[in-house]
Amino acid sequence: MFPPVLEARIQQLQCDVVLDVQHAKVQFMKAPSHGRGTSSGKGHRSTPQEKTDMPKSGQTGDKGSFKSQPRRWIEKLTQEKKNKLKKQQRLQQKMQICVKEKLPTTSSKGTKSSLMSTGTTHKTISTGVKKSRGHSKLSDEIRAAVSSTATTATATAMAGAATVPQKASKKKRKDSKIQKEGTELTGTDPQGTAEELAEVEELEKRLNQQVSHWTLSSKPERMQEGSVGNACQDISLSICSYLEACIFAGDIERAHHFLLSQHRVMSRRKHLNTGVYNIMMRVWAKKGTLNQIGRMFILLEEAGLKPNLGSYFAALECMGRNPNCSPKVVSRCLSQMEEDGLSVDDLFNQCVFRQDERDMLLKAIRIVKPEYQPSLNMHTSQFSSLLVQDFYTERADHTYPKLDFTQEDLQERFKRQLSVEQACTITIDSVEAAKPVTENMAKMRELLAEQRIQWQKILLQALRESKMILAKSNTRDYRLNLYPYLCLLEDKEYVDIMIQSVANLPPSGESLKILARDLGNRVFTKYCVRQKHQNQTVEKLGSIYNAYTDLLAKDTKYDVLPREQWWKLEMEQSSGPTLQGGETSWPYIVTLELGTYMVDMMVKNLKINSDILNPAYDRKLIPILYHMYTFRSTRQIGFIKPHPILTQMQQEAMETKLTFDSYVMPMLCPPVPWTSVKFGAYLLTPTKLMRTVDGATQHEELLEKCQNLHAIYDSLNQLGNCAWKINKPLLDIIISIFNDRGSDKLDIPPPLSEAPKIPHFNPQDPTYTASEKAHMKRQVINAKKKCSEMHSLRMDALYKLSIANHMRDEIFWFPHNMDFRGRTYPCPPYFNHLGSDVTRAILMFAEGKLLGPKGLDWLKIHLVNLTGLKKRSSLQGRLEYANTIMEDILDSADNPLNGRKWWMNADEPWQALACCMEIANAVRSPDPTQFISYFPVHQDGSCNGLQHYAALGRDVIGATSVNLMPCDVPQDVYSGVAQQVEELRARDAESGLKIAQVLEGFISRKVVKQTVMTVVYGVTRYGGRLQIEKRLKEIDEFPKEFVWDASHYLVRQVFNALKEMFTGTREIQDWLTESARLISKSGHTVEWVTPLGLPIIQPYHRTRNQVLKSTMQHINLKISHDTKERPDTVKQKNAFPPNFIHSLDSTHMMLTSLYCYSSGLTFVSVHDCFWTHALTVDTMNKVCREQFVALHSQPILQELSNFLLQKYCTGVPLHFHSTFFISLTIITA
């Protein structure tokens, strides 16, 4: 008999001609000498485009296949023709016998399954290595299943192919190709047969090598994907996103051809991993085409990859969709899974299901296991840190806060939020709408409306034309292009996105890169929402959320956390699609390329009449957007700038509507609790658990490997579940000032009408001297810069106030996520409690609580804190001071704009005014202790970074200065440093030092505060000098000629004072810095794990340039997070100390939030500033102190040292190990 591999190869080639035709019997045909046939998803096609995907000289065409091009084989065969003639004749005889008898080929040992003559999607390669036997058997069974369901046909495979409809323009070429490929091997052309023989030998040799490699590795797929994936991650992700975009758009043929074109060329195949093949497997599983699943298993085999859970899941799903599937095939698949170390339960716990996939999988398994019930992972392990052990185990006394809503209220709110996110955008009234409409405003609004209608038509036509061009060009070359990404949405949706970006473009323009990124992200967000609809997750989300509201409502009682309840509900409603994950994120380069394409379309097509504002001008069409170049520092960047006519129309129109992306708005219902790295926060809008630089993936990979992040999830959920409302009286006052002329003093930006006029002069005017021209140029530059800054600030305030005004009668929530250090942030970017004094002032808790016996006192103390006065006074002293100024407090509340205006002199004037109003309402109530207060009271840390350093280093003096030790009055570290610097200055002045004498009377708390605050976060002496220089320049009386010398002198003295006060701080900083330097020098990035178990990695690598080529311009991207590049040693070592302290700070905040939650407190934070009701300030303070002590009772530095030694000192040369070990242990010894 002839080698089985040849039969499989021939059958594969027949499959390449006709993929969807099932054959009852096969007539063996001659295969092309180069080992490739044509591929099709809809019948026979052979297009010249595929030739461009052929390997170049020296490249390989198929892993597990031949290595040389046909021409080299012809030369070799010519030389060896005589030697191989006998082998050719024997081979022909065997093939004739096999065709005549129609007998299956079996292995000599009799252990292999039969090769069926039907089912043209599997290639079986017989080798002597037993390890490959399992995959061949599984594929054989799949082939057998296809054979058993195929109807008997008398036509041969090629006859069937000839009946496939073909386009007339390509018929002649295809017919000639079919005729060539249809020549029987039993006929003439011994040279072609010899090529097949040589190819067979090469195939067997390469597959043996592959199987040997599998035998040596314990986890072949993971090992290979790990090594290759890191090197080709962006390309692999681009391929996945392209395939999924094709499939979502319904272009299965394009996706199939693209995958084959990548697979055939070795230089491209290295970018493929098992997940890429699984994407196509899922498509064929939906269609129930088991033969195509078998083909994908072959391609995996050829690529040197092994199937994973996703592969087996697709195969089993397909079997579940086939009513006549043989139990033998299912059994073989399950057996192979077990051989690969995978269990059936793993399928249900780790795979992401869409639509009815889970039900089909279960149906297939029950063919052979009728009683099978999935054993789902309930995530029962609740804590990984001793710090939260009590929180999870001792729940008897826990009183979790409840929302003041019924279950029906919350369900109705869910429906409203869902409709907002389904639309992806929301249009709201601008606060400027309150202004009276002038005749010119009405005219400009009408003109803009007319122009936008025209622009929409033009863009719609341009988009459709460009898509037609892309679609045609792509049929000639199956490579990555933008066509599938332009088919994901309706054409009108792309146009609306582009029109929206024009409306939001600032007068000064925007960087092309930023504008393109925003456009691409908007398309991706809409695409994700549509995916969730298509996958039927929206219906299931609604069902689970409606049940979840029972936990939050006021009329129910539970002792479980939101995350636990959500998991429980998901387990109970496990049928149907999976809610968590499943969407492939787009690589940054794809988002940018799509956005650039859209920007280019806008620049080329959006035009306006030049005489639209002035009929005296000549009428001609001019672009409304200009592509230009400008300099940022020393770099030249592309810039998109609106035409002055458009800017003038927009400014004069003062339109009454603003359109935002839906994620910009606060949520109208409680957020979905975080239950995994990829699921939480918004209902439909994709949200990352950890914020990262665009394109960085190492953080997400690290999080996914982490087994237990429950405390992190629960803390974020607690922060997100805090309900808010608007302080309407204060908002109305702010809007009135905003619509008047603003106020720089009160931090309300004035309109552009208040901006300085840009001077105009003729540079060619000979009456100006060179120095005068230079001076006037500087004036023009400064005026333009000022106008740009004023516009940015004005628009920021407009967005915040308009959102607040839109939510004035609503209850709303802020979903939270975190940065890579664990610091938490609200997801809505404009309006949140991390904002400025204005936005904090207009936010109040939606839940009110009685003031109680001490609540009013805390409101008064809080007010004094907001003024910035009495920082060195005790709490009792501040309370007494507040009582002495009650007249000013009440006057501010009653007549904020026309009274004494005492509140305007506070450090935080708007929050002070809000507090005055709350105090006035409380004292005027019948019983202040029974007054229901919604006002958040803040407790701020005393230079929080230094507190952590003092606790780590056990510095008694430093700890006292930052209020870690009991004192009669609160300590102010900034004043303490200023006092110590003054003592050093006085001593130097006595010694005759000139600069010390000049500084007499100028050293204050304000001068040194910023440097003291930031030194803990890694500020250098250079940076500190710049900070002090800026403060000295603000002092009018200080002689400007001494600023340079004085700043040098003071920064040195500040560092010396801190070293004396915090003896351990500098040693710890030096140790962290040196450790990071050694780690990065060894080629690794610095990683550590917080006491709560959050893994952290510093994403600082050497910058590499990546060029995005587009028709507009080449965009040069500076990628500093590429894991293939060596770490940036300077950034790694400088950032480690502050990042480590930030991670401890976030850990303390999370601990405080969890234990406040278990005590029934309303709690939110702005990093180290904690907020709660006046009634519960004392409780929160107690929890805060207890958790700080608990955190620093852990051996934090010792555990860090052990982690670094274990991670970075394994397998390191001895001399390096010794140096590193000494460095790591010096501080903990």
Side-chain angles (χ1 to χ4, degrees):
M1 297 296 289
F2 57 90
V5 67
L6 181 57
E7 181 190 10
R9 183 62 171 159
I10 293 166
Q11 291 183 7
Q12 184 189 7
L13 291 169
Q14 290 171 339
C15 170
D16 285 344
V17 179
V18 186
L19 291 174
D20 295 332
V21 179
Q22 294 180 338
H23 309 282
K25 54 181 181 177
V26 176
Q27 183 174 354
F28 294 101
M29 306 297 174
K30 176 194 169 184
S33 60
H34 51 75
R36 286 177 57 186
T38 58
S39 298
S40 166
K42 297 181 181 178
H44 169 60
R45 301 188 91 175
S46 176
T47 56
Q49 300 83 344
E50 295 184 19
K51 294 180 181 177
T52 62
D53 285 339
M54 287 292 290
K56 296 179 181 178
S57 176
Q59 289 181 331
T60 53
D62 263 332
K63 190 187 291 185
S65 184
F66 55 96
K67 287 187 177 180
S68 304
Q69 293 190 3
R71 184 177 300 171
R72 294 179 59 193
W73 278 111
I74 292 172
E75 294 172 359
K76 184 177 180 181
L77 288 168
T78 302
Q79 297 172 2
E80 300 179 356
K81 187 174 181 180
K82 294 181 181 180
N83 297 334
K84 294 192 175 181
L85 186 58
K86 293 182 180 179
K87 293 181 179 179
Q88 295 168 19
Q89 293 172 347
R90 285 198 298 267
L91 179 61
Q92 291 169 11
Q93 292 172 0
K94 290 179 180 180
M95 293 177 68
Q96 288 172 351
I97 294 169
C98 185
V99 172
K100 190 173 182 179
E101 297 180 0
K102 295 185 177 61
L103 290 175
T105 304
T106 57
S107 66
S108 58
K109 293 185 180 180
T111 57
K112 291 230 174 251
S113 303
S114 298
L115 279 175
M116 305 303 296
S117 57
T118 60
T120 59
T121 60
H122 183 61
K123 159 187 163 185
T124 304
I125 300 178
S126 177
T127 70
V129 183
K130 293 183 180 180
K131 286 285 182 181
S132 66
R133 197 176 293 169
H135 296 292
S136 297
K137 276 191 172 184
L138 176 58
S139 300
D140 291 341
E141 298 293 350
I142 292 175
R143 291 169 48 77
V146 176
S147 174
S148 65
T149 57
T151 57
T152 305
T154 57
T156 63
M158 296 316 300
T163 63
V164 177
Q166 304 174 35
K167 292 183 180 178
S169 61
K170 298 181 180 179
K171 189 175 189 306
K172 185 175 180 180
R173 183 177 66 223
K174 290 185 176 182
D175 288 346
S176 63
K177 180 119 182 181
I178 293 172
Q179 185 177 359
K180 179 180 177 182
E181 294 180 4
T183 306
E184 293 188 6
L185 290 175
T186 54
T188 56
D189 194 5
Q191 179 175 313
T193 309
E195 289 182 28
E196 288 298 337
L197 178 64
E199 186 180 338
V200 167
E201 295 171 353
E202 184 67 20
L203 277 167
E204 291 182 334
K205 177 181 176 184
R206 289 182 63 82
L207 190 69
N208 276 325
Q209 293 174 354
Q210 290 174 10
V211 176
S212 298
H213 176 68
W214 289 351
T215 307
L216 293 173
S217 61
S218 58
K219 293 184 178 179
E221 179 214 344
R222 288 174 175 78
M223 288 180 65
Q224 290 183 34
E225 288 190 25
S227 58
V228 177
N230 288 335
C232 316
Q233 198 167 35
D234 285 347
I235 300 176
S236 298
L237 194 56
S238 295
I239 292 170
C240 287
S241 61
Y242 182 86
L243 288 173
E244 293 202 341
C246 290
I247 294 164
F248 183 83
D251 200 345
I252 308 300
E253 182 183 2
R254 184 183 300 272
H256 177 74
H257 277 289
F258 175 74
L259 178 58
L260 290 183
S261 71
Q262 299 297 310
H263 175 84
R264 285 176 179 140
V265 184
M266 186 65 70
S267 60
R268 296 175 188 161
R269 190 191 295 178
K270 68 183 181 182
H271 301 305
L272 305 181
N273 54 38
T274 307
V276 174
Y277 295 92
N278 289 350
I279 292 172
M280 288 308 302
M281 283 196 203
R282 294 183 83 146
V283 176
W284 304 130
K286 287 282 186 302
K287 294 179 176 295
T289 52
L290 202 54
N291 57 346
Q292 294 285 17
I293 299 287
R295 178 181 174 81
M296 289 297 119
F297 272 82
I298 298 163
L299 297 183
L300 275 177
E301 218 172 86
E302 287 185 354
L305 299 169
K306 290 187 73 176
N308 61 11
L309 276 175
S311 313
Y312 291 115
F313 153 57
L316 288 166
E317 179 200 346
C318 190
M319 295 170 193
R321 295 187 189 278
N322 277 303
N324 300 321
C325 183
S326 167
K328 184 179 178 184
V329 182
V330 180
S331 297
R332 181 64 200 131
C333 187
L334 297 177
S335 299
Q336 188 58 49
M337 275 182 57
E338 291 180 7
E339 289 181 25
D340 286 347
L342 306 171
S343 71
V344 177
D345 286 340
D346 290 339
L347 290 171
F348 292 92
N349 284 313
Q350 298 180 33
C351 289
V352 176
F353 302 112
R354 302 169 185 167
Q355 300 173 4
D356 62 344
E357 291 176 347
R358 186 182 187 278
D359 301 328
M360 292 299 104
L361 172 63
L362 193 58
K363 179 181 175 183
I365 293 170
R366 285 177 175 169
I367 292 174
V368 293
K369 297 181 178 180
E371 304 301 321
Y372 174 76
Q373 285 293 338
S375 175
L376 299 177
N377 182 3
M378 293 294 292
H379 297 261
T380 52
S381 59
Q382 294 293 343
F383 54 90
S384 57
S385 169
L386 292 175
L387 292 169
V388 290
Q389 183 172 351
D390 291 347
F391 176 78
Y392 287 111
T393 57
E394 300 178 8
R395 304 194 185 193
D397 299 329
H398 288 190
T399 55
Y400 301 125
K402 307 287 288 184
L403 298 174
D404 192 21
F405 300 103
T406 64
Q407 192 172 1
E408 291 73 21
D409 291 336
L410 293 172
Q411 290 170 355
E412 183 60 33
R413 289 176 173 277
F414 166 79
K415 292 177 184 177
R416 292 176 58 200
Q417 177 65 25
L418 187 65
S419 66
V420 171
E421 292 193 42
Q422 284 174 328
C424 292
T425 57
I426 182 171
T427 300
I428 66 174
D429 290 326
S430 164
V431 291
E432 290 183 326
K435 290 186 175 183
V437 180
T438 64
E439 183 180 346
N440 186 53
M441 287 167 61
K443 179 185 174 183
M444 290 300 115
R445 289 175 184 177
E446 185 179 350
L447 279 176
L448 274 176
E450 291 174 357
Q451 290 300 314
R452 282 174 184 149
I453 293 172
Q454 188 65 25
W455 292 337
Q456 283 178 332
K457 293 178 181 177
I458 292 170
L459 283 177
L460 200 59
Q461 182 180 353
L463 177 62
R464 287 170 179 166
E465 289 174 356
S466 66
K467 283 172 66 174
M468 289 175 63
I469 294 170
L470 279 176
K472 290 178 181 178
S473 65
N474 202 44
T475 58
R476 303 183 62 84
D477 183 7
Y478 286 109
R479 293 181 181 173
L480 286 169
N481 82 350
L482 291 176
Y483 178 71
Y485 298 104
L486 293 171
C487 300
L488 299 173
L489 313 176
E490 299 292 334
D491 291 344
K492 186 179 182 302
E493 293 181 276
Y494 291 99
V495 172
D496 289 342
I497 289 172
M498 290 187 271
I499 295 294
Q500 180 188 343
S501 69
V502 173
N504 295 339
L505 199 63
S508 57
E510 185 62 273
S511 158
L512 171 61
K513 187 164 67 173
I514 293 174
L515 184 59
R517 180 200 64 193
D518 291 345
L519 285 167
N521 282 335
R522 287 193 180 106
V523 174
F524 176 71
T525 300
K526 278 186 173 266
Y527 167 54
C528 287
V529 172
R530 280 182 164 239
Q531 271 187 310
K532 289 176 179 177
H533 274 285
Q534 188 186 72
N535 297 337
Q536 299 174 0
T537 57
V538 177
E539 295 84 354
K540 184 170 180 179
L541 176 69
S543 174
I544 292 179
Y545 194 95
N546 284 340
Y548 170 69
T549 55
D550 192 40
L551 169 76
L552 304 176
K554 62 183 179 182
D555 46 4
T556 60
K557 180 172 177 60
Y558 283 87
D559 62 349
V560 295
L561 298 166
R563 171 187 54 82
E564 296 168 340
Q565 180 69 0
W566 190 276
W567 258 113
K568 179 185 175 185
L569 293 170
E570 276 207 59
M571 295 303 102
E572 292 173 355
Q573 302 184 35
S574 57
S575 181
T578 307
L579 296 182
Q580 306 191 24
E583 296 84 19
T584 299
S585 59
W586 288 354
Y588 178 54
I589 195 77
V590 170
T591 305
L592 208 56
E593 189 176 0
L594 176 60
T596 306
Y597 189 86
M598 295 169 73
V599 173
D600 185 43
M601 194 179 301
M602 292 158 58
V603 171
K604 288 178 178 176
N605 293 283
L606 294 183
K607 297 184 179 181
I608 197 170
N609 285 323
S610 57
D611 64 344
I612 192 168
L613 296 182
N614 191 342
Y617 292 155
D618 294 335
R619 169 170 288 199
K620 60 180 180 180
L621 283 175
I622 57 174
I624 65 169
L625 300 176
Y626 284 92
H627 176 223
M628 53 186 291
Y629 291 90
T630 187
F631 282 92
R632 290 278 174 88
S633 184
T634 58
R635 295 180 58 204
Q636 188 181 28
I637 63 169
F639 218 72
I640 303 298
K641 191 169 183 178
H643 193 282
I645 291 177
L646 176 64
T647 301
Q648 182 180 346
M649 291 173 66
Q650 289 177 331
Q651 289 177 351
E652 292 181 5
M654 298 181 68
E655 293 183 286
T656 60
K657 299 292 183 181
L658 295 172
T659 300
F660 294 110
D661 298 313
S662 59
Y663 70 85
V664 165
M665 305 297 291
M667 292 185 69
L668 298 173
C669 67
V672 173
W674 285 104
T675 52
S676 74
V677 174
K678 294 184 176 181
F679 186 74
Y682 294 102
L683 305 180
L684 302 178
T685 308
T687 312
K688 289 184 176 180
L689 174 69
M690 186 173 278
R691 302 178 177 201
T692 57
V693 180
D694 288 319
T697 58
Q698 55 264 51
H699 306 286
E700 189 171 319
E701 291 171 1
L702 205 60
L703 289 172
E704 288 178 352
K705 293 176 185 176
C706 194
Q707 296 298 314
N708 194 322
L709 294 173
H710 295 158
I712 310 298
Y713 298 150
D714 291 335
S715 177
L716 290 170
N717 295 337
Q718 184 276 322
L719 296 172
N721 274 343
C722 176
W724 299 86
K725 69 176 184 177
I726 296 295
N727 186 337
K728 289 188 279 189
L730 194 69
L731 176 63
D732 291 335
I733 295 172
I734 294 173
I735 291 176
S736 68
I737 296 176
F738 179 84
N739 281 336
D740 185 12
R741 288 189 303 174
S743 170
D744 284 328
K745 180 182 178 182
L746 297 176
D747 198 26
I748 298 179
L752 280 180
S753 59
E754 303 295 312
K757 300 300 180 185
I758 298 176
H760 296 282
F761 78 101
N762 183 7
Q764 309 302 325
D765 192 337
T767 59
Y768 292 117
T769 64
S771 61
E772 287 175 335
K773 288 181 181 179
H775 176 69
M776 295 187 75
K777 282 183 179 178
R778 283 195 298 271
Q779 284 186 319
V780 171
I781 292 172
N782 290 336
K784 287 183 176 179
K785 183 180 179 183
K786 180 67 174 177
C787 287
S788 178
E789 289 174 352
M790 287 181 65
H791 178 269
S792 297
L793 292 172
R794 179 76 177 181
M795 295 307 294
D796 180 65
L798 175 66
Y799 292 165
K800 290 175 178 176
L801 294 177
S802 297
I803 293 172
N805 195 49
H806 180 73
M807 307 298 292
R808 64 183 298 131
D809 297 317
E810 298 284 359
I811 306 296
F812 51 89
W813 288 260
F814 295 122
H816 279 62
N817 61 1
M818 60 185 172
D819 65 13
F820 76 92
R821 303 162 301 186
R823 302 197 97 186
T824 59
Y825 300 86
C827 296
Y830 296 130
F831 179 65
N832 58 61
H833 59 285
L834 259 69
S836 63
D837 174 46
V838 173
T839 50
R840 293 187 189 188
I842 55 183
L843 281 170
M844 303 178 73
F845 292 136
E847 180 191 9
K849 289 190 176 181
L850 300 176
L851 280 182
K854 295 183 65 177
L856 182 59
D857 290 348
W858 274 117
L859 284 175
K860 293 176 180 177
I861 293 169
H862 176 57
L863 174 62
V864 176
N865 291 341
L866 291 169
T867 64
L869 305 172
K870 307 298 179 183
K871 287 186 176 291
R872 302 297 293 269
S873 299
S874 64
L875 295 181
Q876 184 60 35
R878 297 179 196 190
L879 179 59
E880 291 171 358
Y881 173 72
N883 288 328
T884 63
I885 56 170
M886 279 302 295
E887 286 188 14
D888 289 328
I889 294 173
L890 297 176
D891 176 74
S892 296
D894 297 336
N895 302 293
L897 300 181
N898 301 315
R900 303 174 193 171
K901 304 177 184 178
W902 170 85
W903 62 276
M904 291 187 182
N905 296 316
D907 283 356
E908 309 286 351
W910 289 109
Q911 291 179 78
L913 177 58
C915 195
C916 289
M917 292 178 172
E918 190 76 1
I919 291 172
N921 291 333
V923 297
R924 288 167 178 166
S925 66
D927 182 0
T929 61
Q930 298 300 307
F931 177 76
I932 297 178
S933 173
Y934 300 87
F935 194 84
V937 176
H938 310 172
Q939 296 289 281
D940 204 349
S942 302
C943 197
N944 194 247
L946 281 174
Q947 286 182 326
H948 284 290
Y949 269 124
L952 288 171
R954 304 300 193 259
D955 281 336
V956 176
I957 298 176
T960 303
S961 67
V962 289
N963 296 303
L964 293 184
M965 299 289 288
C967 295
D968 294 333
V969 294
Q971 299 298 301
D972 180 35
V973 65
Y974 309 117
S975 300
V977 172
Q979 182 179 343
Q980 193 150 352
V981 170
E982 172 60 22
E983 292 175 1
L984 295 171
R985 184 212 62 79
R987 189 175 60 195
D988 290 340
E990 288 180 7
S991 304
L993 186 63
K994 175 67 175 176
I995 193 63
Q997 295 169 351
V998 171
L999 279 166
E1000 184 175 359
F1002 292 106
I1003 297 177
S1004 65
R1005 180 182 188 273
K1006 185 178 181 180
V1007 169
V1008 303
K1009 178 180 177 180
Q1010 188 179 12
T1011 306
V1012 174
M1013 185 189 304
T1014 55
V1015 73
V1016 65
Y1017 298 124
V1019 73
T1020 61
R1021 295 202 176 197
Y1022 173 78
R1025 190 201 66 76
L1026 293 177
Q1027 293 169 345
I1028 292 175
E1029 178 184 292
K1030 187 176 181 180
R1031 298 286 84 81
L1032 290 175
K1033 285 181 178 178
E1034 292 172 355
I1035 303 174
D1036 296 332
E1037 298 81 13
F1038 189 80
K1040 298 299 182 282
E1041 65 271 20
F1042 289 104
V1043 166
W1044 176 269
D1045 292 334
S1047 60
H1048 267 286
Y1049 174 80
L1050 283 181
V1051 74
R1052 189 168 63 250
Q1053 299 304 336
V1054 168
F1055 273 68
N1056 290 336
L1058 283 171
K1059 188 176 289 188
E1060 288 185 21
M1061 293 174 66
F1062 296 87
T1063 55
T1065 297
R1066 179 55 63 180
E1067 292 178 7
I1068 296 171
Q1069 279 186 321
D1070 291 343
W1071 173 66
L1072 294 172
T1073 302
E1074 178 64 11
S1075 299
R1077 187 187 69 81
L1078 292 170
I1079 291 167
S1080 56
K1081 281 289 186 183
S1082 70
H1084 296 90
T1085 50
V1086 179
E1087 293 182 36
W1088 69 98
V1089 178
T1090 70
L1092 270 185
L1094 179 67
I1096 296 175
I1097 182 171
Q1098 296 193 147
Y1100 313 123
H1101 294 262
R1102 292 183 183 176
T1103 302
R1104 69 168 173 86
N1105 292 326
Q1106 181 175 353
V1107 178
L1108 170 62
K1109 297 180 180 179
S1110 69
T1111 54
M1112 291 192 75
Q1113 70 169 69
H1114 290 181
I1115 300 177
N1116 187 22
L1117 305 176
K1118 292 191 174 295
I1119 310 295
S1120 61
H1121 53 264
D1122 189 348
T1123 55
K1124 299 189 293 291
E1125 299 292 330
R1126 287 185 62 83
D1128 186 323
T1129 302
V1130 174
K1131 286 186 178 179
Q1132 289 283 345
K1133 72 183 183 67
N1134 289 342
F1136 187 27
N1139 285 342
F1140 180 70
I1141 294 300
H1142 277 310
S1143 71
L1144 290 183
D1145 187 25
S1146 72
T1147 299
H1148 174 236
M1149 187 282 298
M1150 289 180 177
L1151 288 169
T1152 305
S1153 74
L1154 291 175
Y1155 282 94
C1156 283
Y1157 186 69
S1158 66
S1159 301
L1161 272 66
T1162 300
F1163 173 91
V1164 291
S1165 79
V1166 181
H1167 303 317
D1168 63 338
C1169 180
F1170 299 163
W1171 298 15
T1172 191
H1173 288 92
L1175 173 69
T1176 54
V1177 170
D1178 289 310
T1179 306
M1180 184 186 72
N1181 285 341
K1182 179 174 178 290
V1183 173
C1184 174
R1185 290 182 171 89
E1186 287 175 349
Q1187 296 312 310
F1188 189 90
V1189 171
L1191 173 64
H1192 285 282
S1193 296
Q1194 304 294 311
I1196 295 174
L1197 293 179
Q1198 183 64 58
E1199 289 177 352
L1200 175 64
S1201 175
N1202 294 341
F1203 177 85
L1204 297 180
L1205 286 168
Q1206 182 179 2
K1207 183 168 184 64
Y1208 299 110
C1209 293
T1210 305
V1212 179
L1214 184 60
H1215 64 89
F1216 179 83
H1217 189 290
S1218 301
T1219 306
F1220 192 38
F1221 181 79
I1222 292 170
S1223 170
L1224 290 179
T1225 54
I1226 191 171
I1227 201 70
T1228 56

